[in-house]
């Protein structure tokens, strides 16, 4: 990457990773040379400056657009989904920001670790600081390699003498470096119960969690072609005899033969799944993280850095660089008359229909009455209701509805508005809020363990079922063991169940697209919708969409890169 300099711009008012007031009140450094920071032993500023790169795609680009829009279960108005939602990724601003910001994270992690290594500071503090930088670099490469494939691999920074341009390293080599970085980080960073740990920072447990995810990603992507997996999807609408569009209310089971993901041919799928199972088990037994008791408690502002959140974007209300529009984009804000504005990105009704009726992820987690307009004549708010199958409750005025509530099929009014995006400490008034984007939660560790256990043992063990039932209990969903009483688990059915649970648990958290890609069913799933979703958002995809295009600047200026990713 070319966005490199030997001067470091570090400003703690822009420090994305610092969640405590003490760190936010540190001295501000502007255009300070690296050697000055070495002389001062200012390692905290260097760690903060590296983490600050995570804020860039939320401030100037739309990180959530890249990780969420290109998936089967998210929808909204066609204009709101724009080019990314339609599969037009080339030279999209959010795509460029995603790529460039993560490479800035890599550069700063490399160079700042180099400077910290030269400092005369206590060894424990030095180890933790370098461990955090290694973790951040591993996280950056892990995101990049899944979306872009082969990558320029900078093991040291340009400031230390690395060439400005490097050829793309194969996926296998990139993963080897990611694993090396995380193994270092899991032994050097503070544990959450150690005196030096700062809440909001990643910890040893965070590195173990990401390692488990890396191993599962390799395991699923490298699994032989032809293995079967099912999703609930299919066409969102049909046409009646009059040529009118009729919504398909319930998704249908779609069973696919997975593809072996290109670039993962040299891995042993089962061996990596075994590593994933062992690492996830290690973290579960460690006890550093645990589930919060309910969805409502999970998504309260008080628990933004609670015990379930392993690694999140750290934000600061009122700071333009450290806040974002995520809550406004996904849930909306109330205008002066009480009507809900914005909130254009919703989960499709087919996603909602995946759940048991009592599941807290829809009973609490989804907004069912939306004040969409204010009637000046009657001086009353007008409400829409969701989903359509609640019409009887509406007619009877039950379940919190009123008989005057209306069924509307507006793209952002008929779908799941997720209350997880209310986890902010400031009013949702259309301005930026302090929503901490959840990069990884402990719930995912439980699902990764169960996924790996299933693949290692050719079906789920009792331990895998037990971990899943922790989530069942928290969410008030049907227990996995109860399901097995009528439909005994097979390796294929449990594999599909885990994929579906991930879709339900992590809706709009940037995980669904990664899952479809790593399982080799992205094209099959997207194209099973038949071209567009019910709101007209284009879902048809081609093989070129399996990878995002490199930014044109990278291709044009890197002497080692002569072509973009296939099809771009």
């Amino acid at each position: 990457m070319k966005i490199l300099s030997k001067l470091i711009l570090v400003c703690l008012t822009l420090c994305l990773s610092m969640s405590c007031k003490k760190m936010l009140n540190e001295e501000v450094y502007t255009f300070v040379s690296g050697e000055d920071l070495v002389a001062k032993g200012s390692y905290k500023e260097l760690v903060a400056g590296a983490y600050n790169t995570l804020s860039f795609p939320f401030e100037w680009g739309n990180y959530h657009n890249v990780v969420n829009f290109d998936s089967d279960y998210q929808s909204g108005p066609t204009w709101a989904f724009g080019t990314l939602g339609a599969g037009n990724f080339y030279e999209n601003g959010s795509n460029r920001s995603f790529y460039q910001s993560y490479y800035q994270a890599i550069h700063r992690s490399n160079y700042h670790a180099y400077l910290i290594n030269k400092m005369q500071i206590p060894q424990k503090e030095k180890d933790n600081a370098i461990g955090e930088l290694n973790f951040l670099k591993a996280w950056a490469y892990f995101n990049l390699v899944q979306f872009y494939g082969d990558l320029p691999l900078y093991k040291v920074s340009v400031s230390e003498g690395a060439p400005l341009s490097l050829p793309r390293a194969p996926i296998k080599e990139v993963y080897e470096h990611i694993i090396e970085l995380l193994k270092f980080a899991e032994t050097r960073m503070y544990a959450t119960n150690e005196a030096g740990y700062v809440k909001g920072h990643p910890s040893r447990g965070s590195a173990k969690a990401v390692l488990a995810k890396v191993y599962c990603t390799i395991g699923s992507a490298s699994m032989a072609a032809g293995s079967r997996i099912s999703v609930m999807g299919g066409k969102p609408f049909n046409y009646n005899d009059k040529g009118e569009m009729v919504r398909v209310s319930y998704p249908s089971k779609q069973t696919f033969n997975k593809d072996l993901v290109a670039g993962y041919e040299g891995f042993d799928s089962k061996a990596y799944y075994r590593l994933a199972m062992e690492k996830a088990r290690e973290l579960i037994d460690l006890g550093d993280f645990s589930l919060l008791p309910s969805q409502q408690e999970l998504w309260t502002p008080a628990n933004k850095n609670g015990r379930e959140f392993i690694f999140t974007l750290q934000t600061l209300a009122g700071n333009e660089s450290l806040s974002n529009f995520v809550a406004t984009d996904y849930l909306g804000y109330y205008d002066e008359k009480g009507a809900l504005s914005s909130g254009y990105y919703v989960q499709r009704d087919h996603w909602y229909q995946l759940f048991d009726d009592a599941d807290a992820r829809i009973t609490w987690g989804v907004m069912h009455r939306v004040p969409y307009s204010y009637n000046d004549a009657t001086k009353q708010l007008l409400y829409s209701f969701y989903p359509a199958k609640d019409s009887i409750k509406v007619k009877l005025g039950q379940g919190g509805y009123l008989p005057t509530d209306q069924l509307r099929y507006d793209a952002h009014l008929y779908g799941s508005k997720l209350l997880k995006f209310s986890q902010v400490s400031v009013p949702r008034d259309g301005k930026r809020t302090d929503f901490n984007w959840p990069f990884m939660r402990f719930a995912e560790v439980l699902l990764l363990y169960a996924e790996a256990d299933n693949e290692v043992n050719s079906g789920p063990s009792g331990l895998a079922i037990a971990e899943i039932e922790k989530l069942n209990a928290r969410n008030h969903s049907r227990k996995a063991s109860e399901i097995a009483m009528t439909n005994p688990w097979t390796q294929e059915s449990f594999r599909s169940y885990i994929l579906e649970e991930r879709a339900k648990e992590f809706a709009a958290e940037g995980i669904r697209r990664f899952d479809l890609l790593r399982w080799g069913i992205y094209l099959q799933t997207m194209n099973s919708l038949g071209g567009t979703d019910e709101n007209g958002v284009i879902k048809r995809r081609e093989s070129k969409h399996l990878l995002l295009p490199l930014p044109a600047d990278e291709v044009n200026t890197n002497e080692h890169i002569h072509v973009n990713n296939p099809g771009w």
Side-chain angles (χ1 to χ4, degrees):
M1 295 298 295
K2 313 304 182 299
I3 311 169
L4 305 170
S5 172
K6 290 189 178 181
L7 289 179
I8 304 171
L9 174 59
V10 181
C11 176
L12 282 183
T13 59
L14 299 182
C15 170
L16 188 63
S17 65
M18 303 297 111
S19 61
C20 64
K21 291 181 180 178
K22 176 183 175 183
M23 295 307 300
L24 290 171
N25 290 333
E26 291 278 357
E27 183 180 357
V28 172
Y29 291 82
T30 305
F31 292 107
V32 179
S33 74
E35 297 307 318
D36 286 341
L37 290 177
V38 170
K40 287 176 174 284
S42 302
Y43 71 91
K44 292 179 182 179
E45 288 77 3
L46 289 169
V47 173
Y51 278 123
N52 188 43
T53 58
L54 293 177
S55 68
F56 297 165
F58 287 89
E59 181 184 3
W60 303 117
N62 287 308
Y63 177 94
H64 64 84
N65 294 6
V66 179
V67 297
N68 278 338
F69 281 10
D70 185 33
S71 66
D72 54 335
Y73 287 139
Q74 195 168 89
S75 188
T78 54
W79 61 263
F81 269 65
T83 57
L84 272 174
N88 300 320
F89 307 146
Y90 188 67
E91 282 308 275
N92 175 272
S94 294
N95 176 35
R96 287 198 308 273
S97 176
F98 189 92
Y99 185 89
Q100 292 168 354
S101 297
Y102 270 132
Y103 262 109
Q104 286 176 303
I106 291 163
H107 168 64
R108 290 193 184 187
S109 296
N110 278 330
Y111 184 46
H112 294 190
Y114 162 75
L115 293 174
I116 291 171
N117 256 322
K118 298 168 67 174
M119 292 181 180
Q120 299 299 314
I121 57 176
Q123 190 62 42
K124 183 70 173 176
E125 296 177 31
K126 179 183 289 189
D127 285 348
N128 179 71
I130 295 173
E132 287 194 51
L133 293 172
N134 279 15
F135 173 88
L136 177 59
K137 182 183 175 185
W139 179 257
Y141 268 128
F142 183 42
N143 279 267
L144 290 169
V145 74
Q146 292 181 82
F147 276 11
Y148 299 95
D150 298 351
L151 295 169
L153 188 58
Y154 288 87
K155 295 187 177 182
V156 298
S157 70
V158 171
S159 302
E160 299 166 68
L164 285 172
S165 298
L166 288 175
R168 297 172 76 176
I171 286 172
K172 192 173 191 298
E173 188 176 336
V174 176
Y175 271 111
E176 287 171 353
H177 190 50
I178 291 170
I179 292 167
E180 176 187 18
L181 293 166
L182 290 172
K183 284 184 173 180
F184 179 93
E186 72 169 330
T187 62
R188 306 301 175 91
M189 287 197 291
Y190 289 124
T192 55
N193 60 358
E194 289 190 80
Y197 175 71
V198 177
K199 196 170 186 179
H201 281 234
S203 64
R204 289 186 184 183
S206 306
K208 294 179 189 297
V210 177
L211 258 177
K213 187 168 183 175
V214 167
Y215 292 146
C216 270
T217 299
I218 295 171
S220 55
S222 63
M223 188 182 295
S227 300
R228 291 162 63 85
I229 189 166
S230 300
V231 300
M232 296 299 292
K235 292 185 177 182
F237 60 86
N238 289 314
Y239 291 97
N240 62 20
D241 295 339
K242 297 179 181 179
E244 299 168 329
M245 187 182 82
V246 179
R247 289 173 178 258
V248 176
S249 299
Y250 296 95
S252 58
K253 184 177 180 180
Q254 309 284 312
T255 301
F256 306 120
N257 292 322
K258 78 173 293 292
D259 297 325
L260 192 162
V261 181
Y264 291 78
E265 297 86 354
F267 295 100
D268 182 334
S269 173
K270 197 161 187 175
Y272 277 93
Y273 263 127
R274 186 173 297 279
L275 290 170
M277 184 178 71
E278 292 169 352
K279 189 57 62 178
R281 182 78 258 166
E282 182 181 336
L283 181 57
I284 293 168
D285 292 342
L286 197 61
D288 283 8
F289 303 99
S290 60
L291 294 178
L292 282 157
S294 69
Q295 285 287 325
Q296 188 169 1
E297 289 176 79
L298 170 63
W299 298 110
T300 59
N303 280 322
K304 285 174 65 173
N305 284 313
R307 63 179 187 263
E308 186 166 333
F309 292 97
I310 291 174
F311 178 44
T312 64
L313 178 79
Q314 297 295 298
T315 54
L316 187 66
N319 185 304
E320 187 164 309
S321 299
L322 288 182
S323 52
N324 55 62
F325 288 104
V326 172
T328 295
D329 289 343
Y330 281 85
L331 191 54
Y333 66 93
Y334 295 98
D335 65 21
E336 67 278 1
K337 293 184 178 180
L340 195 68
S341 298
S342 191
Y344 294 112
Y345 310 132
V346 297
Q347 295 296 112
R348 295 177 54 236
D349 197 48
H350 276 193
W351 173 84
Y352 185 92
Q353 303 303 340
L354 300 175
F355 291 87
D356 301 327
D357 287 343
D359 197 307
R361 291 170 292 190
I362 59 169
T363 56
W364 175 85
V366 169
M367 182 180 288
H368 294 276
R369 292 185 82 224
V370 178
Y372 67 90
S373 183
Y374 182 81
N375 188 316
D376 288 314
T378 63
K379 302 199 181 302
Q380 291 182 325
L381 284 167
L382 303 177
Y383 286 83
S384 63
F385 70 89
Y386 177 79
K389 68 179 183 178
D390 281 358
S391 59
I392 298 298
K393 294 180 182 178
V394 173
K395 184 177 180 180
L396 298 175
Q398 297 176 346
Y401 296 116
L402 292 178
T404 53
D405 293 348
Q406 301 176 29
L407 178 63
R408 297 182 65 96
Y409 284 114
D410 309 52
H412 67 294
L413 292 177
Y414 191 76
S416 297
K417 290 183 178 294
L418 304 175
L419 288 176
K420 64 177 65 175
F421 293 106
S422 64
Q423 194 195 49
V424 296
S425 64
V426 293
R428 298 199 326 273
D429 57 4
K431 300 176 183 177
R432 293 174 179 268
T433 67
D434 57 341
F435 181 74
N436 280 16
W437 185 270
F439 291 124
M440 195 167 187
R441 297 195 275 118
F442 184 66
E444 187 170 11
V445 176
L446 302 181
L447 288 163
L448 291 171
Y449 175 79
E451 175 185 327
D453 176 281
N454 183 58
E455 300 304 334
V456 169
N457 297 309
S458 300
S461 72
L463 286 173
I465 298 296
E467 298 304 335
I468 290 301
E469 291 194 340
K470 292 177 183 177
L471 279 169
N472 296 152
R474 190 267 290 281
N475 294 326
H476 304 294
S477 59
R478 191 181 177 197
K479 289 185 177 180
S481 58
E482 292 178 2
I483 296 172
M485 290 179 183
T486 52
N487 294 289
W489 292 116
T490 65
Q491 185 179 41
E492 180 184 324
S493 66
F494 195 74
R495 176 189 297 152
S496 303
Y497 172 79
I498 293 298
L499 182 64
E500 183 173 304
E501 277 299 306
R502 290 174 62 83
K504 292 191 285 188
E505 181 68 29
F506 307 117
E509 292 182 44
I511 286 179
R512 181 62 173 177
R513 185 176 193 271
F514 284 104
D515 277 352
L516 296 180
L517 288 169
R518 73 182 177 93
W519 271 106
I521 57 169
Y522 164 82
L523 292 178
Q524 299 93 311
T525 301
M526 295 295 284
N527 289 329
S528 72
L529 273 68
T532 69
D533 66 19
E534 58 271 39
N535 294 316
V537 177
I538 297 172
K539 298 293 186 181
R540 184 181 295 109
R541 295 295 184 262
E542 307 168 30
S543 58
K544 71 175 185 178
H545 293 107
L546 291 168
L547 293 174
L548 295 179
L550 300 175
D553 286 347
E554 181 68 67
V555 178
N556 293 337
T557 61
N558 189 328
E559 62 190 278
H560 301 287
I561 299 177
H562 305 295
V563 295
N564 211 318
N565 280 329
W568 301 105

